[in-house]
Amino acid sequence: MSASLFPESVETDRLRLERVDADDAGALDLYEHWRTEAPNVEESTEYVSWEPYDHPNGVAETLERAVDRVEGGDGAMYLLRPRDGEDRAGEIAGTTGLFTGWDQRLAVFGMWLRKPFWGRGYSGERADALFELAFDRLDLDVVRVSHVPENTNSERAITKYVDRHGGRREGRFRNRVSFDDGSIHDTVEYSVSQSEWAAADGAETAVEFRD
């Protein structure tokens, strides 16, 4: 397994996904958006498992773990940036990830988006790209995605793109995830199979991988 499994960048109509790598110098930039004092950070991290960082070292450690995943073939973390022509083009809009369970032939998607970029349809657009990565490039069988029940924004976005790609809601799973603050939460989970994805042809954006 190697980084070659996961493209260095992915471009959609409006987004550029940049893979986090060992030589990245972006920890301080990302820290500015993940730190406890950043505007809107409490609202934008209300339903994620991690807590805002109070020092850049925490971000650096998270990025190091992401690099280890890539090198081990276990997944990749990407920075999301709007492309030219979009409002606030080039800024870090958030992060997304694809994490693999090779034995189960499974991919799990994750995403965090800064509040100024909510409501633009970016979640569905990067999902189009990650579905193509999971099914066409990695030849996995199933993608799973989830949200905590209280996160109605994620529920709307996920339901829309899962339906569009032929998938389904699997149900609510109790005490499924532990947050860094010690709390335990249910999740609502969805899945899309490779055959469902191929039959639905639900992509709304062109996707280009760059190695």
Side-chain angles (χ1 to χ4, degrees):
M1 301 292 182
S2 70
S4 62
L5 285 172
F6 307 99
E8 289 185 5
S9 67
V10 183
E11 289 190 354
T12 67
D13 293 342
R14 299 182 297 157
L15 292 172
R16 179 178 173 85
L17 285 63
E18 299 174 352
R19 191 183 70 203
V20 172
D21 288 324
D23 58 353
D24 281 346
L28 287 176
D29 289 339
L30 196 53
Y31 169 68
E32 289 302 310
H33 304 303
W34 278 356
R35 65 192 178 93
T36 53
E37 297 85 3
N40 309 123
V41 71
E42 289 188 2
E43 190 171 357
S44 67
T45 61
E46 182 178 4
Y47 301 117
V48 299
S49 61
W50 50 274
E51 293 192 297
Y53 296 96
D54 56 11
H55 193 276
N57 186 58
V59 177
E61 290 176 350
T62 297
L63 299 184
E64 286 174 9
R65 290 194 294 272
V67 170
D68 289 342
R69 281 183 177 271
V70 171
E71 293 177 348
D74 297 323
M77 176 180 173
Y78 290 88
L79 302 181
L80 294 169
R81 297 184 190 272
R83 294 181 61 184
D84 289 347
E86 290 291 293
D87 184 36
R88 303 175 76 157
E91 283 192 33
I92 296 175
T95 60
T96 190
L98 181 152
F99 310 104
T100 56
W102 293 107
D103 290 343
Q104 298 81 29
R105 299 190 58 78
L106 170 75
V108 177
F109 293 173
M111 183 177 185
W112 170 77
L113 196 64
R114 294 172 55 208
K115 187 176 180 181
F117 299 90
W118 291 3
R120 299 190 188 185
Y122 286 167
S123 178
E125 187 160 326
R126 62 89 218 187
D128 286 352
L130 295 186
F131 277 122
E132 189 161 329
L133 175 57
F135 291 139
D136 189 51
R137 181 165 172 140
L138 302 180
D139 195 27
L140 294 169
D141 289 343
V142 176
V143 163
R144 188 174 71 212
V145 62
S146 65
H147 61 83
V148 295
E150 299 80 10
N151 192 345
T152 56
N153 287 338
S154 285
E155 180 179 21
R156 284 191 294 271
I158 291 171
T159 298
K160 182 177 180 180
Y161 70 70
V162 166
D163 287 349
R164 179 159 50 83
H165 287 285
R168 64 189 184 189
R169 172 177 162 147
E170 298 290 358
R172 179 166 176 160
F173 295 81
R174 298 191 180 189
N175 287 24
R176 187 73 150 182
V177 62
S178 299
F179 282 15
D180 286 350
D181 64 4
S183 60
I184 301 173
H185 299 262
D186 296 354
T187 60
V188 179
E189 300 189 2
Y190 308 75
S191 69
V192 181
S193 72
Q194 183 179 145
S195 59
E196 290 166 342
W197 171 79
D201 191 24
E204 294 185 333
T205 184
V207 178
E208 181 179 359
F209 298 142
R210 298 192 175 184
D211 295 305

